[in-house]
Amino acid sequence: MAGARRQATGDATTPGAAHGADAGRQPASAAASAQVTGELLELSLGYVYSAALHTAARFGIADHLADGPRSADELARAAGVDGPYLYRLLRFLATKGVFREDEEGRFHLTALAEPLRTGTERSLRDYIMVRGEAVFWESAGRLHEAVRTGTTAFEGLYGVPFYDHVASDPELGRAFNASMAAFSETLSNDVAGALDFSGVKSAVDVGGGRGGLLRALLRANEHLTGILFDLESVVAGHVLDVPELAGRWSVQGGDFFVSVPSGADVYLLKHVLASWPDEECVRILATCRRAMPAGGRLLAVNAMIPAGNEPHPGKTIDMLMMTVLNGKGRTRAEYEALLTAAGFSVLRVLEPSPHASVMEAVAAG
């Protein structure tokens, strides 16, 4: 962690910092203890990093650096914020590689800061912005209630399921849908590149949001046609209307618990199942199975939690599910169990990204 690696300065206010001239002569056990203390204290302040990222995204700092490095005062004038406070924010983010300060006090874009720009191919600005909204912060602050009761923290705070709340707030709904599209954009090309659609004529993207995955698949497979299926309010903001895809797609609004378009060769469920409890997942899968023709395939795309203690995106998303939704991260065996319960047989699993393993299944005989 950054705090544990920071050079000792003798500053007694710095978590985990060594003190004075004796810092280099600490016994090994004392140094190890100080490092552990520093790491744990920094973990406890993780929300500060989230707040700092949200603030940088809100004020478009990465956009203001697109043409080259600038000082904090120059950035502050461009963004309409306080210079000294902005400097402290950027100095802090630079400790994690988000921006870089040079010897002249100017800040530069870095690989980590680049996705904070607006409108770039792999922009995550919309995603970072929404994750800084109160619905996420407040729910995360009630994680202890979710663990105590075994129910999502969000419903305890707002009295309704998350998606119902989003549907009732058009501004939040637009922002949330844009955030999910931004997250999807970073993965869709990877997933599309891993799939062999040479023998596939038609596909339905079930719960496909604004259509980022379907767009990537259509671009990669010129013979393919596709249907984007999601709630009316979601598909209204679709991204499929581009010249090179003309005549190869359509959009349908509806409820995947009730029915989905029938007769396609492939049905896609990207990051849908993780948002729902087991019973609802089986219902969604069963709806897809009823719509599939003989020989049809289902492709379920999710982050699958591996065994062991290593970090993994699926474990992080699982914490998000506990605070906001009634879904959960799952292991490969748990996803296979859901598919089996809905009448599918799993053929294989592809892993183009830690965020997006692809489980291919067909209707069981």
Side-chain angles (χ1 to χ4, degrees):
M1 305 294 290
R5 291 196 299 268
R6 190 180 295 115
Q7 183 177 356
T9 63
D11 182 357
T13 66
T14 302
H19 297 277
D22 292 334
R25 296 195 296 272
Q26 291 183 85
S29 59
S33 177
Q35 179 174 342
V36 168
T37 299
E39 290 183 1
L40 187 60
L41 288 173
E42 187 158 342
L43 281 172
S44 75
L45 294 172
Y47 64 91
V48 180
Y49 289 104
S50 298
L53 278 174
H54 173 81
T55 301
R58 176 179 290 274
F59 293 121
I61 301 303
D63 292 331
H64 293 306
L65 289 173
D67 294 329
R70 303 172 78 173
S71 70
D73 284 340
E74 291 172 327
L75 290 167
R77 286 193 292 272
V81 300
D82 183 83
Y85 269 61
L86 179 62
Y87 173 77
R88 292 161 65 185
L89 177 87
L90 298 179
R91 178 180 61 185
F92 174 65
L93 286 172
T95 68
K96 289 295 187 181
V98 183
F99 308 115
R100 177 179 65 83
E101 183 183 9
D102 63 24
E103 294 80 3
E104 298 177 358
R106 299 176 304 171
F107 287 91
H108 298 244
L109 279 177
T110 61
L112 275 178
E114 186 69 29
L116 291 176
R117 291 179 59 194
T118 304
T120 57
E121 183 178 355
R122 289 182 174 265
S123 174
L124 286 172
R125 185 180 179 225
D126 287 338
Y127 187 88
I128 299 298
M129 286 281 291
V130 167
R131 292 314 176 278
E133 294 296 331
V135 290
F136 290 97
W137 282 104
E138 293 172 353
S139 298
R142 301 286 295 233
L143 179 60
H144 60 284
E145 283 297 311
V147 172
R148 185 179 67 83
T149 63
T151 59
T152 178
F154 181 90
E155 290 186 30
L157 281 169
Y158 288 86
V160 296
F162 176 77
Y163 285 124
D164 290 353
H165 179 77
V166 169
S168 70
D169 185 336
E171 183 176 351
L172 175 62
R174 285 189 293 270
F176 177 73
N177 293 332
S179 79
M180 295 310 297
F183 174 68
S184 178
E185 186 69 22
T186 66
L187 301 174
S188 293
N189 290 334
D190 294 337
V191 173
L195 299 176
D196 180 7
F197 269 42
S198 57
V200 178
K201 295 181 179 180
S202 60
V204 178
D205 193 358
V206 179
R210 302 204 303 184
L213 176 58
L214 184 58
R215 182 177 62 181
L217 286 167
L218 292 172
R219 282 175 168 167
N221 301 276
E222 295 182 356
H223 63 282
L224 183 68
T225 62
I227 299 172
L228 175 64
F229 182 83
D230 210 317
L231 297 173
E232 291 278 2
S233 60
V234 176
V235 298
H238 72 81
V239 295
L240 298 173
D241 194 9
V242 292
E244 66 266 34
L245 304 183
R248 296 170 51 207
W249 57 269
S250 62
V251 171
Q252 292 188 31
D255 183 349
F256 52 40
F257 288 113
V258 178
S259 66
V260 299
S262 62
D265 297 327
V266 168
Y267 286 76
L268 301 155
L269 284 169
K270 179 173 176 284
H271 293 146
V272 172
L273 300 180
S275 298
W276 299 94
D278 290 353
E279 290 184 4
E280 278 79 0
C281 286
V282 173
R283 288 177 58 198
I284 296 167
L285 290 167
T287 304
C288 292
R289 189 179 185 278
R290 288 193 299 269
M292 291 169 59
R297 290 184 291 157
L298 180 118
L299 299 176
V301 182
N302 300 281
M304 294 186 190
I305 297 178
N309 299 312
E310 295 302 313
H312 189 273
K315 298 176 183 179
T316 306
I317 294 299
D318 190 40
M319 289 295 97
L320 182 62
M321 295 298 105
M322 288 174 63
T323 61
V324 178
L325 295 170
N326 277 315
K328 63 179 180 179
R330 295 179 175 90
T331 64
R332 173 173 175 169
E334 288 172 326
Y335 277 118
E336 287 183 342
L338 293 178
L339 286 159
T340 299
F344 286 94
S345 294
V346 176
L347 298 181
R348 60 175 178 160
V349 175
L350 304 173
E351 296 189 359
S353 163
H355 290 275
S357 296
V358 183
M359 187 168 282
E360 181 180 353
V362 295

